[in-house]
Amino acid sequence: MGCGTSSTAAGPPAAAGPSRLGPTPQLQANDNAVTGSETSEQPRDSSASRAGSSPSASASRRAPAASRSQQLSECSSRKEDRPEVTAAGCRPLSYHEALIAATPPAATTATATSGATNTPADLLAVTKRGITLCGLRKLRELWLKEFKADFGNMSTEDVEKCWIKEKTGPHKCCLLEVEEVVSPVDIIATPMYFISHAWKNKLALLLDYVLDSFLSDADESTGVWLDIVAVNQHSAIETQAATCMQAFKQVVQVCNGGTIVVMEIASCNPATRAWCIYEWAHTLATHGPDGFHAQLSPADRAAVVGQLDIRQAICSRIEDKQTILALVQQQHHSAERFNSLLKLQLLLEPLAYRVDLRRLSHQAAGTSWKFGAIDEWLEQGATGPRVLCIVSGGGEGKSTISAVLCSNDQTTGFGGKFDVHYAHHFLKYSDQRRLDAVNIIKNLAFQLGCRIPSMCQQLLQLNVAEVVQMTEMGDAFDLLLLQPLQALSQQQEPVVLLIDALDEADPPELQLAISSGGRTTCPRACGNLALQLLTRHLRHLPTNVRFIFTTRPDAAAGQVLPCLERTFPDSVTYLAPSALRSGSSSDSSGGGVMVYHTALQACHTCQGGAFVLQDPKLEDVYAVYSRIFTDAHAEYGSSSNAHQKARLVHDLLAVLMAAKEPLSQSFLQQLGLGDAISLLPGYPKLFFVDEHHLYLLHKSLGDWLLDPDLSGVFFASVHQGHAQIGGHLAQLWRQQQQRIQQQEPAWGSGSRSSPYLLKYMVTHLAAAADSGVNGGSTSSLDVRDAAFEAATADLNSLLQDLSFLSAALKAGHGPAIIGALGAMLTHTAWSYEVLRWLRSDLYNLVGKSAADLANRALAIAPGNTKIYQLASSTACPSWRTRLVLPLESGNWPACQAIFQDHTHVVKSVAFSPDGQQLASGSYDKTLRLWDTATGQCMAMLGGHSKSITSVAFSPDGRQLASGSLDKTVRLWDTATGQCMATLEVRTCWVRGSVGRSGR
């Protein structure tokens, strides 16, 4: 399509405003000439002149407040003097030229003299420079002092026109080069974050969000790239747009922490700005979803998705718009597809898998695959087995095969050899986001939407706010997968959903029990949510949708394979990884645990033929881990600061194993552990950084670190890791509340707490403050005691903060908080109080403000409890219950919790042998299993046609029996929630119950 024509005609006339990198002076050149340089007609002291003061920059900066207000008014009035260009004519400096214009004056002169053109490397060298957070704070203080109260209402454009142009005018340079403004020590060669924002939004809000919210706890030396300080807007160098675009891409790529998106929707929706849209798209292409940092409320997200259209977006220059549209056409074939993919990304917020695919594909290099069995399974289509299950022990290459299948390799991958629509999901035991059923559904829907245009259009018709706030597995499945795929089922195009590592979705305690070789007892009912998604929902997709799963055979307490058989009767094909590979040119292994050979590469003292095993077992992998750690600690011992290095590594391992999600480099830096990353044993093989996060090579390494019988002195003290993370999050919360109390300005969603903080802070602090939990080996009991005392103090303080409880409950984390407090073996002064309160009244507390929580506690909490006292001091009621209530009636009642979900009479209940679960049978024909600590219903089992009259657990808790008036006894598998057998009683119905022993 003709990009020039499209750009000119598309959309309404562009509003007044700056180029992408800021307001720029008019170029007094021929209307049709693009010289890219300033002419002699342009006054060199134009900044000072426009400021309404003498040519002396220093004199204008000393102007009194009244004069400054007048200057601001004049700056504002002149916005209309320079409209954004949508047709040929006098124009401001383009975004591309502004990138080139960042070249220092000397370099610019040399280039002009010699006639040479800048190479992409030159452009990168002069545009990638950033400013430290310390330097940015100094600039904010300077602007606050300069503009006083006016600064809060000034846009980025206002500050650039009335101050930055004045400061940089004498030297025609960027602000980073003005030493009296920005100290050289505050300039950083490689910034970590790129800041994307609209110039019409308030600069003060941008700075508040970046400095006081998103990067509030980052090291002061952390660098950011901000256009108003990094780019020279005074001159331009004529060059090809493609070269300039390459420079822009490299700037985004250099910022390896990703892009911080700052939005002020009420003032200017950045989705209406062409360069903002392109920055987002390029960030997602370069860094993936993990590098796209945009905290949006559901309403703001809906506004962005609703208005996003690259064709209608405003741009300062028609040339910029044409260049962007041309690249969009080249990369996505049409602007419509570009819009759809970016909207789909913002709608579904998919997780990133690039780290997994890149690492696993690297491990697969040199391996010869024989995928004939997979070819045959695919060719059978809907008439053949619906499920292909690749099953083997840990480390034998299941995930590697998944990565190869999901690659674009023309000989092995779905994207090349196989003509199918496909989507994949890699479960990860160390990343709770990967284990969330709604996230799994969103990720599968996103990938299918990207590959099936008609499904993409269906998804984009959904209510954005509704999709963003989805929490129920069934609702998400119906809306995002079932309905769109049913609409496509008539086409009968083959669709394959691949879900890797079902075993990693097992509850942590079950995984640890399996890895240590013990028999599992009392597994958590339906604890594997990925398996629940499969058995309850995915099975109901149209028959043209087929599945590939990988798993260990011992997953779900050994019931994963029987579970698949029960879900897909006579429709499961099993393969072993060894049957799909014919050997490797990179090693001499013929089978066994493949991760052994990767681990061996990290062991410097394991070189030689004696260590290259033909059929390594998991025990051999553990032996290599032990050797690597031993060698690393020996190296620490040879250095002058050996103890400090060992301590840092010990702390970092503890934090890694305690974390609920992969931790970013910036977060580890905030904890003071950033320098320990390169010291980790086996780095960068056993541990590696990719896309800003620190990862472990394989789950077996985590199993080894968490089992003291395997790792010995290298055992990771998870208790201590919880203390460090919890303490850090508590500090973040206190800082945020302090800013609120001081009534400091807050930007949009920047005032909100991070999802990780609200969801896991209590979990970390409760685990650290539980003195009944063995924290593992540590070199100093004093350190452990100090961590315990600090965690206890933080937890008690947090649980008395009704504003925190309000925010956490609104976010849906009430059951998680109850679970964390209920799991404590030894309670703190406040943990038991809050546990009793939440368990007794959770249904009525969700969604209430802090003040409403206090009033509710006054209504239901006993008079002598700490909760009542806290509520009384918060709400300050005019009446005094103490004077009329007897003291003995003011304590918590014997009833600890009320479980409510049944719709009819509950006839029978039974505790699991470990007392952690409760089964209830009701006249509503359902069997429910409850977590006794949280009161949360973990599963609802249906199948009886009449009232259930009796329930009982088996002695090991692995099975559950139920009797009913329908004259049947059903035997259920606890781990999967599936009915294993139905026994019929011909003469009468089943009544009564059996004892806890199962007899």
Side-chain angles (χ1 to χ4, degrees):
M1 83 186 208
C3 291
T5 303
S6 172
S7 175
T8 304
S19 71
R20 171 60 193 91
L21 286 186
T24 51
Q26 290 280 7
L27 299 182
Q28 305 298 323
N30 184 286
D31 286 354
N32 297 319
V34 185
T35 63
S37 60
E38 243 180 55
T39 64
S40 57
E41 287 84 3
Q42 174 95 14
R44 299 192 64 83
D45 59 347
S46 57
S47 294
S49 301
R50 286 195 304 271
S53 61
S54 69
S56 170
S58 59
S60 70
R61 287 192 292 273
R62 290 191 296 269
S67 176
R68 173 59 67 186
S69 298
Q70 181 181 3
Q71 294 170 16
L72 294 176
S73 176
E74 293 176 1
C75 284
S76 178
S77 65
R78 271 189 296 274
K79 290 181 185 178
E80 303 302 325
D81 296 338
R82 192 182 65 253
E84 293 180 349
V85 177
T86 56
C90 295
R91 56 177 176 79
L93 193 62
S94 76
Y95 178 78
H96 304 306
E97 293 168 331
L99 282 172
I100 307 300
T103 309
T108 303
T109 303
T111 302
T113 302
S114 64
T117 58
N118 292 61
T119 66
D122 296 332
L123 298 177
L124 179 62
V126 299
T127 59
K128 73 176 185 179
R129 294 170 300 177
I131 186 170
T132 65
L133 295 184
C134 179
L136 201 58
R137 291 185 197 279
K138 293 176 184 177
L139 278 179
R140 180 171 64 174
E141 293 172 1
L142 194 60
W143 289 328
L144 283 169
K145 182 178 180 181
E146 178 77 10
F147 298 109
K148 299 181 174 58
D150 292 323
F151 182 60
N153 295 316
M154 294 177 67
S155 68
T156 301
E157 180 180 3
D158 293 333
V159 175
E160 198 276 344
K161 289 177 63 176
C162 297
W163 194 88
I164 294 178
K165 295 295 288 291
E166 177 182 323
K167 287 286 188 180
T168 58
H171 303 291
K172 296 293 185 285
C173 63
C174 68
L175 193 62
L176 288 180
E177 296 173 295
V178 182
E179 289 193 20
E180 61 266 28
V181 176
V182 180
S183 170
V185 299
D186 290 324
I187 300 175
I188 191 165
T190 307
M192 189 170 186
Y193 295 99
F194 182 99
I195 299 177
S196 173
H197 65 110
W199 274 57
K200 289 188 176 297
N201 291 343
K202 296 181 179 63
L203 180 59
L205 297 184
L206 179 153
L207 297 174
D208 291 342
Y209 176 62
V210 172
L211 295 172
D212 300 333
S213 181
F214 189 83
L215 296 178
S216 61
D217 239 21
D219 189 274
E220 287 294 278
S221 63
T222 301
V224 297
W225 193 90
L226 183 59
D227 45 19
I228 59 170
V229 302
V231 174
N232 178 2
Q233 293 276 334
H234 290 281
S235 63
I237 299 175
E238 182 176 351
T239 186
Q240 295 181 354
T243 304
C244 301
M245 182 64 72
Q246 182 64 24
F248 160 73
K249 290 182 177 180
Q250 291 188 53
V251 171
V252 174
Q253 186 173 5
V254 163
C255 299
N256 62 8
T259 295
I260 302 172
V261 179
V262 184
M263 299 188 188
E264 188 187 356
I265 301 294
S267 174
C268 175
N269 187 340
T272 64
R273 294 300 195 249
W275 269 112
C276 288
I277 297 174
Y278 195 79
E279 287 168 1
W280 302 349
H282 190 64
T283 296
L284 290 165
T286 304
H287 301 296
D290 284 344
F292 185 70
H293 309 292
Q295 295 185 15
L296 293 170
S297 68
D300 286 349
R301 190 171 294 273
V304 170
V305 173
Q307 297 187 45
L308 193 152
D309 187 344
I310 190 65
R311 296 163 302 184
Q312 303 293 330
I314 295 171
C315 212
S316 307
R317 266 180 30 117
I318 191 171
E319 290 87 347
D320 285 0
K321 184 73 171 287
Q322 290 172 339
T323 302
I324 293 173
L325 288 174
L327 286 170
V328 165
Q329 179 72 24
Q330 176 184 352
Q331 296 171 359
H332 300 276
H333 306 297
S334 71
E336 291 85 354
R337 178 160 177 77
F338 173 87
N339 289 336
S340 296
L341 294 180
L342 189 51
K343 286 182 178 181
L344 201 64
Q345 171 81 42
L346 293 168
L347 171 70
L348 297 176
E349 304 173 85
L351 300 175
Y353 303 94
R354 299 197 309 176
V355 171
D356 306 81
L357 295 174
R358 184 163 48 240
R359 175 180 60 85
L360 293 167
S361 297
H362 177 74
Q363 292 179 9
T367 301
S368 298
W369 302 100
K370 46 181 183 180
F371 283 168
I374 298 179
D375 290 346
E376 181 180 349
W377 177 79
L378 285 170
E379 290 171 358
Q380 291 175 345
T383 62
R386 195 173 184 194
V387 173
L388 176 64
C389 183
I390 302 173
V391 57
S392 71
E396 296 187 23
K398 301 181 296 297
S399 296
T400 301
I401 292 172
S402 295
V404 173
L405 288 173
C406 295
S407 71
N408 291 319
D409 190 287
Q410 294 297 313
T411 59
T412 58
F414 288 128
K417 180 178 181 181
F418 306 115
D419 185 20
V420 296
H421 300 301
Y422 71 96
H424 57 266
H425 181 76
F426 287 75
L427 295 161
K428 201 78 169 178
Y429 77 100
S430 58
D431 190 345
Q432 294 297 313
R433 299 170 301 173
R434 300 274 193 99
L435 306 180
D436 181 85
V438 174
N439 281 343
I440 297 174
I441 293 168
K442 286 185 175 181
N443 281 281
L444 296 176
F446 172 76
Q447 294 174 58
L448 292 177
C450 288
R451 296 183 172 102
I452 308 175
S454 56
M455 182 170 176
C456 178
Q457 294 307 312
Q458 282 186 276
L459 292 171
L460 292 180
Q461 299 302 314
L462 299 175
N463 182 284
V464 176
E466 180 183 348
V467 172
V468 170
Q469 298 177 87
M470 279 182 173
T471 58
E472 294 297 326
M473 181 193 308
D475 294 341
F477 170 75
D478 290 343
L479 202 60
L480 302 180
L481 283 180
L482 182 60
Q483 294 176 13
L485 288 174
Q486 281 179 336
L488 299 172
S489 61
Q490 293 182 351
Q491 303 174 16
Q492 286 298 307
E493 294 185 9
V495 175
V496 174
L497 302 183
L498 185 151
I499 299 181
D500 180 71
L502 289 175
D503 52 285
E504 296 204 26
D506 277 344
E509 65 274 10
L510 184 58
Q511 295 188 48
L512 286 176
I514 292 174
S515 66
S516 60
R519 176 175 170 79
T520 57
T521 59
C522 299
R524 188 189 307 174
C526 303
N528 189 317
L529 293 183
L531 206 55
Q532 292 304 299
L533 173 62
L534 164 62
T535 59
R536 296 183 182 183
H537 300 292
L538 294 181
R539 63 182 296 186
H540 298 299
L541 289 172
T543 55
N544 63 306
V545 180
R546 304 171 76 199
F547 307 96
I548 296 178
F549 304 120
T550 73
T551 184
R552 297 187 187 187
D554 50 15
Q559 285 293 309
V560 63
L561 301 185
C563 176
L564 293 178
E565 294 284 359
R566 292 190 289 264
T567 305
F568 303 97
D570 303 320
S571 194
V572 183
T573 295
Y574 297 102
L575 290 174
S578 57
L580 299 174
R581 61 177 184 265
S582 56
S584 170
S585 60
S586 60
D587 58 62
S588 59
S589 63
V593 181
M594 291 181 65
V595 73
Y596 172 85
H597 304 283
T598 304
L600 202 63
Q601 297 173 17
C603 183
H604 302 303
T605 61
C606 297
Q607 306 303 320
F611 291 96
V612 180
L613 305 178
Q614 294 296 317
D615 191 23
K617 308 299 182 187
L618 199 56
E619 294 76 12
D620 300 315
V621 177
Y622 292 154
V624 173
Y625 292 156
S626 181
R627 176 68 70 91
I628 292 173
F629 273 67
T630 300
D631 292 345
H633 280 261
E635 292 181 11
Y636 304 153
S638 62
S639 61
S640 58
N641 54 346
H643 178 74
Q644 180 183 359
K645 289 183 177 180
R647 182 76 256 169
L648 280 173
V649 169
H650 176 273
D651 291 347
L652 179 53
L653 290 173
V655 165
L656 287 179
M657 300 315 298
K660 300 299 182 182
E661 298 172 4
L663 297 178
S664 67
Q665 288 175 281
S666 59
F667 188 87
L668 294 174
Q669 186 183 48
Q670 294 166 21
L671 291 175
L673 299 174
D675 293 339
I677 294 177
S678 60
L679 299 175
L680 286 168
Y683 182 83
K685 289 289 185 180
L686 296 192
F687 304 90
F688 62 96
V689 172
D690 202 340
E691 295 196 355
H692 337 302
H693 291 73
L694 181 61
Y695 296 92
L696 277 67
L697 167 69
H698 190 261
K699 182 178 182 294
S700 60
L701 178 56
D703 294 340
W704 182 79
L705 285 168
L706 292 175
D707 191 336
D709 294 332
L710 295 174
S711 51
V713 296
F714 305 121
F715 170 66
S717 176
V718 179
H719 186 273
Q720 180 181 336
H722 284 303
Q724 288 185 267
I725 297 176
H728 177 65
L729 295 177
Q731 181 183 5
L732 287 180
W733 175 260
R734 287 193 296 268
Q735 291 174 349
Q736 176 179 306
Q737 296 308 296
Q738 183 179 11
R739 290 195 298 269
I740 293 175
Q741 292 173 4
Q742 294 174 352
Q743 297 183 342
E744 293 184 5
W747 170 86
S749 59
S751 61
R752 300 184 302 163
S753 298
S754 72
Y756 190 99
L757 184 150
L758 290 177
K759 189 172 184 179
Y760 298 119
M761 179 159 56
V762 172
T763 299
H764 288 301
L765 290 175
D770 189 359
S771 61
V773 176
N774 181 9
S777 60
T778 180
S779 58
S780 171
L781 291 177
D782 291 338
V783 172
R784 179 179 169 188
D785 290 342
F788 164 74
E789 292 177 1
T792 299
D794 284 336
L795 181 62
N796 285 334
S797 175
L798 187 69
L799 295 179
Q800 296 176 66
D801 188 341
L802 295 180
S803 60
F804 167 76
L805 291 176
S806 172
L809 294 178
K810 285 180 181 178
H813 303 318
I817 293 175
I818 295 174
L821 299 178
M824 297 180 70
L825 300 178
T826 304
H827 282 284
T828 68
W830 278 89
S831 62
Y832 180 75
E833 286 280 325
V834 174
L835 175 63
R836 290 301 307 271
W837 179 39
L838 295 181
R839 287 178 65 180
S840 65
D841 202 33
L842 179 62
Y843 294 94
N844 297 311
L845 299 178
V846 175
K848 293 186 179 298
S849 66
D852 290 338
L853 288 180
N855 290 327
R856 180 65 186 176
L858 285 174
I860 66 103
N864 282 343
T865 62
K866 289 185 174 67
I867 287 295
Y868 185 92
Q869 296 167 9
L870 173 65
S872 180
S873 63
T874 302
C876 299
S878 57
W879 34 266
R880 298 183 179 181
T881 310
R882 281 292 171 278
L883 301 180
V884 296
L885 283 181
L887 294 179
E888 61 271 14
S889 66
N891 298 314
W892 290 108
C895 178
Q896 297 187 15
I898 298 175
F899 302 160
Q900 50 185 14
D901 261 346
H902 281 296
T903 59
H904 210 296
V905 173
V906 176
K907 181 63 177 178
S908 180
V909 296
F911 279 98
S912 62
D914 63 356
Q916 299 299 308
Q917 301 176 91
L918 179 72
S920 61
S922 169
Y923 278 11
D924 64 9
K925 307 174 188 177
T926 67
L927 185 70
R928 294 182 182 268
L929 293 107
W930 311 82
D931 185 325
T932 57
T934 66
Q936 187 175 21
C937 181
M938 299 180 293
M940 189 275 288
L941 310 181
H944 283 292
S945 59
K946 292 187 178 181
S947 301
I948 297 174
T949 57
S950 58
V951 294
F953 280 94
S954 64
D956 61 3
R958 294 168 62 91
Q959 296 176 337
L960 181 69
S962 62
S964 169
L965 294 180
D966 63 9
K967 300 181 182 181
T968 65
V969 174
R970 288 180 177 261
L971 190 63
W972 309 83
D973 175 59
T974 306
T976 64
Q978 287 189 313
C979 181
M980 304 170 62
T982 302
L983 309 177
E984 294 187 7
V985 181
R986 297 181 183 276
T987 58
C988 62
W989 61 83
V990 181
R991 295 187 59 182
S993 60
V994 293
R996 177 174 170 176
S997 64
R999 302 191 186 120

